[in-house]
């Protein structure tokens, strides 16, 4: 048997069984944001971080398509992982992240 047939393809999983993810997630240690930026920058930055956390949690829970991620689904996921309920703008950003990550 050739050696190439023994190695897994890059997209194949080498795990023997499915790995369960733990909830609730432990947030990473927070660091201070850089000083001297306009207030709008901090708001946008925190909104992006929140949208990224929510998109990851949705993907982990089995919501893979932005069509499935309605505002109420995103908000219930936020409650599940311990994040404040997102605004409509943040929900839109979550769907955009899921769309462009494909």
């Amino acid at each position: 048997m050739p050696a190439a047939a023994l190695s897994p393809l890059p997209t194949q999983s080498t795990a023997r069984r499915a790995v369960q993810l733990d909830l609730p997630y432990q947030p990473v240690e927070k660091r201070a944001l850089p000083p001297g930026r306009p207030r709008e920058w901090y708001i946008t930055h925190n909104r992006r971080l929140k949208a990224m956390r929510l998109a990851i949690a949705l993907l982990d829970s089995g919501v893979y398509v932005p069509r499935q991620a309605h505002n109420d689904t995103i908000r219930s996921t936020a409650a599940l992982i311990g994040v404040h309920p997102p605004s409509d703008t943040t929900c839109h950003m979550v769907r955009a992240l899921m769309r462009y990550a494909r």
Side-chain angles (χ1 to χ4, degrees):
M1 181 178 264
L6 296 176
S7 63
L9 295 174
T11 57
Q12 274 182 313
S13 173
T14 57
R16 302 231 184 266
R17 56 189 159 82
V19 178
Q20 295 294 323
L21 298 173
D22 296 329
L23 283 179
Y25 300 105
Q26 291 294 327
V28 294
E29 185 176 329
K30 293 185 178 183
R31 297 183 309 199
L33 292 175
R37 305 270 172 111
R39 179 173 170 72
E40 189 60 36
W41 183 89
Y42 297 104
I43 293 170
T44 305
H45 176 76
N46 288 330
R47 182 169 295 190
R48 285 181 184 148
L49 289 177
K50 185 179 206 176
M52 199 179 329
R53 284 188 202 104
L54 288 168
I56 291 168
L58 284 167
L59 290 170
D60 288 345
S61 69
V63 178
Y64 301 113
V65 184
R67 242 182 337 211
Q68 297 172 328
H70 303 290
N71 287 357
D72 54 339
T73 306
I74 295 172
R75 289 184 176 118
S76 65
T77 303
L80 179 70
I81 65 172
V83 175
H84 287 286
S87 65
D88 291 341
T89 305
T90 305
C91 290
H92 179 76
M93 195 177 285
V94 169
R95 285 189 288 276
L97 280 171
M98 293 174 73
R99 187 174 302 114
Y100 295 122
R102 294 174 76 51

